[in-house]
Amino acid sequence: MAARKRCAFSSLEVMLSILFVALTTVSITLIAVTITHSANTCSGPTPPPDQEPPFLIGVGRADCTGPPAELPLMGYANPQQTAAGIHTRLFSRAVIIDDGRRRVVFVTVDMGMISQRLRLEVLKALRVKYGEQYRQDNVVLSGTHTHSGPAGYFQYTLFMISSKGYLRSSIQPLVRGIVKSIDRAHSSVRPGRIYKNRGRLDASSVNRSPHSYRNNPQDERIKYDDNVDKDMVLLKFTDMDGDGIGLLSWFAVHAVSMKTTNRLVSSDNVGYAAYLMENHKNPTALPGQAAFVAAFSSSNLGDVSPNIRGPHCVNSGLACDYLNSSCPDGGTKECQAFGPGEDMFDSTRIIGLNIYRKARELYSNAAEEVTGFVRSAHQWVNMTDVAVHVNDTHVVSTCKPALGHSFAAGTTDGGGDLNFTQGAVEGDPFWDGIRDALLGQPSNQTQECHRPKPILFSTGEMNWPLPWHPEIIDVQILTVGSVAVVAVPGEMTTMAGRRLREAVQRELQSEGAFSDVDVVIAGLSNVYTHYITTYEEYQVQRYEGASTIFGPHTLSAYVLKFGDLARAIAQDKVGSVPPGPPPPFFQKNLFNLLPAAPVDSKPDNSTFGEVLVQVLPVYRQGDVVSVTFVAGNPRHSGDVRDQSFVAVEMHDNTSDSWTLVHTDASWETRFRWLKGPERRSNATVEWHIPTNAAVASYRIKHFGHYKSMKGLRPVITPYQGTSDVFRVSGSFYYR
Ligand code: ZN
């Protein structure tokens, strides 16, 4: 197939102007670098006539778990949902692809979403290390959308309020983990090949706003079998020997199998799929230690739920109201959607397993080689006033950011606490009155612009102590051969994503440089701007429409802006894309509402790490072991990356030694931290013994730190505790 495409392109001997935009905290420097490209790219070892030249490929993964205690979890905006332990650890996974001339980096991170602040801090750190090699135009950061990672990595007021502020202790491990994953990918770069595959995954996703979806034109809807995108797209990476080194895949589903009642840090369903795939490739490695990197990325998941049993009224068992997702008694709070499992852990397991199995199948069958060149284009856009020509005479515009009333209703995956319902196209005098008194009234212009959205928070008009929402956003596209990755700064609904993919495909193919391009949406990328619905879905004003913060024409503006980038890539003129206005990097008025963790205390005559509730002497495979220790606050453990609060060790009789078989990153362990009265706390470690666990003797350890005072000086001291030894026997017994 088109074996000379890549060289044919490079033999044009074009003069490439690449604009490096160097971001510093005080100034923006624009340096134009001109690279004369010649046919030399095709020199070097001549590939066999039937083989394309390889890419250079690097993969890397790093722990980015933040403090697993007291910080709010990012996603449901539920102030009661603060971290209290670890279910699974959070990882950043990076892929670097280089065609010999240009390089792109795609990073997917087990977190709710990438914030502008996080991205700017990562880019700053990359610049210090790598100069101009990794920049805002060739690095995409995307969040998996787990709702069970620590919050506090935002610089805009709305998010700071729901995160207890801008928390250094939260953003630092994310920056360091992301950069470390890129470091590892960078140092592992080697010649390799890429294969792509695509396949349908059923029984893992449903549309949670079908009423909005049905408002899209019928002649558009009939083009699709489903009201969610069920295709997974996967890239397989191998070295030159054909050995697999990693994968990158996209599938549209919310990582919300774990509910608002969960208090454990967790990478949710998508993270579990990555966990299983890495374990499959390197079965003897501990979680997070495998050489193989399985990077699973989010997509146009805006209206897509993993809670496939759908919503019903918890109190009555009846169906919820179709438009409002509310119940006759109890309103939105009672209308909840459920996953396929017995509980949220089981639902996470089932959805994660489904995603993993499909990825594994696509990976092993991937045969279509991706060849050609690598390109990237990026622009900062002020999204508050993008003009879109509907036709020759009619021009519409995006708006200053604002959230509608139905934003406060939440979704059937996690409802709001107050009496808001989805589908509100009229304000509520009670809440509007409170809003006007506390935060100010939305201007007539903003109200008019967002119609029919009744504005709850006119965030674009609220600037104290810092702007409540971003105005400058990133649009960015990476292409690798016939695959285009569209980095969307938010959550696009199914149909919004389809329209954007089609528009980008059209532009890429318009110049003949691309044929048969696969366009994928990488969701939750670069900066968070909530949701993006179609114009028609917006009219219904369910949660997603109410959260489309730049107004009814947001999607049209993205189609325009991403279209410009796609055309520039197709014409090989990315250097001529204006960089756009750089986003702010706030130094002042960031606030932190999370008090420092106090000194720890413990019961009289006990020590930190002492066992309070001991294990039983014998368990069977499939049982749950539980042991409780006197603990310190996990926040005193500082940067907890690459550590573990938990060790499950197996005794080896022949060598009379202990082998580490599970850490707190393991699916089988749950580390729960329970804060008690008088600054005392406990740590309970559960081990859900796998049914195939070796019959042997085991023990469980817990590691932590406690804080005390030496005079006026706080002192942090490490401690550890160990359970009694227990036996795990076979599971054959009467049930
Ligand atoms: Zn979401």
Side-chain angles (χ1 to χ4, degrees), residues 113 145 147 208 254 256 301-302 491 524 528 531 543:
M113 60 286 288
H145 208 35
H147 282 38
R208 71 181 186 192
H254 256 77
V256 294
L301 51 63
E491 312 181 43
L524 290 310
Y528 187 59
Y531 284 73
Y543 176 79

Side-chain angles (χ1 to χ4, degrees), residues 329-574:
D329 289 321
T332 48
K333 202 72 195 156
E334 291 298 322
C335 174
Q336 293 176 29
F338 293 86
E342 286 171 12
D343 57 25
M344 61 183 164
F345 293 94
D346 198 34
S347 292
T348 303
R349 182 187 65 79
I350 294 167
I351 301 295
L353 189 64
N354 291 351
I355 297 172
Y356 153 69
R357 282 183 174 148
K358 179 51 67 177
R360 188 175 148 182
E361 174 200 319
L362 293 176
Y363 179 87
S364 42
N365 299 335
E368 185 183 345
E369 186 167 1
V370 177
T371 57
F373 48 81
V374 164
R375 283 186 194 155
S376 61
H378 172 273
Q379 190 174 44
W380 285 307
V381 174
N382 183 336
M383 268 303 274
T384 64
D385 60 355
V386 178
V388 181
H389 289 259
V390 179
N391 55 40
D392 286 349
T393 53
H394 191 197
V395 182
V396 293
S397 170
T398 53
C399 317
K400 283 186 174 178
L403 288 160
H405 271 248
S406 301
F407 163 73
T411 71
T412 50
D413 292 329
D417 275 326
L418 305 170
N419 64 339
F420 292 92
T421 52
Q422 297 197 62
V425 287
E426 291 196 17
D428 177 311
F430 175 75
W431 290 113
D432 285 350
I434 292 178
R435 186 263 329 274
D436 293 352
L438 292 175
L439 304 168
Q441 210 179 346
S443 70
N444 289 343
Q445 192 194 359
T446 299
Q447 290 191 50
E448 194 52 45
C449 188
H450 281 269
R451 212 173 280 283
K453 177 197 286 173
I455 292 175
L456 181 62
F457 299 125
S458 186
T459 49
E461 297 172 321
M462 292 153 68
N463 293 300
W464 187 86
L466 283 169
W468 281 49
H469 262 151
E471 296 191 337
I472 314 285
I473 57 89
D474 299 61
V475 288
Q476 185 176 18
I477 300 178
L478 309 178
T479 63
V480 175
S482 61
V483 179
V485 181
V486 179
V488 169
E491 312 181 43
M492 278 203 171
T493 61
T494 302
M495 198 63 100
R498 288 168 178 167
R499 288 188 197 172
L500 180 62
R501 287 200 306 255
E502 271 182 27
V504 167
Q505 187 179 37
R506 214 166 33 239
E507 294 296 343
L508 286 175
Q509 293 180 349
S510 64
E511 301 290 327
F514 290 83
S515 60
D516 271 348
V517 63
D518 272 295
V519 180
V520 295
I521 303 259
L524 290 310
S525 293
N526 298 341
V527 44
Y528 187 59
T529 66
H530 301 253
Y531 284 73
I532 302 118
T533 65
T534 67
Y535 176 83
E536 294 83 356
E537 291 163 350
Y538 184 91
Q539 306 306 311
V540 182
Q541 282 296 302
R542 279 176 60 86
Y543 176 79
E544 296 83 11
S547 307
T548 296
I549 62 172
F550 297 111
H553 304 292
T554 303
L555 175 61
S556 303
Y558 279 125
V559 165
L560 185 74
K561 292 296 175 185
F562 280 107
D564 288 348
L565 295 188
R567 207 172 320 112
I569 286 176
Q571 295 172 344
D572 198 17
K573 288 183 179 165
V574 292

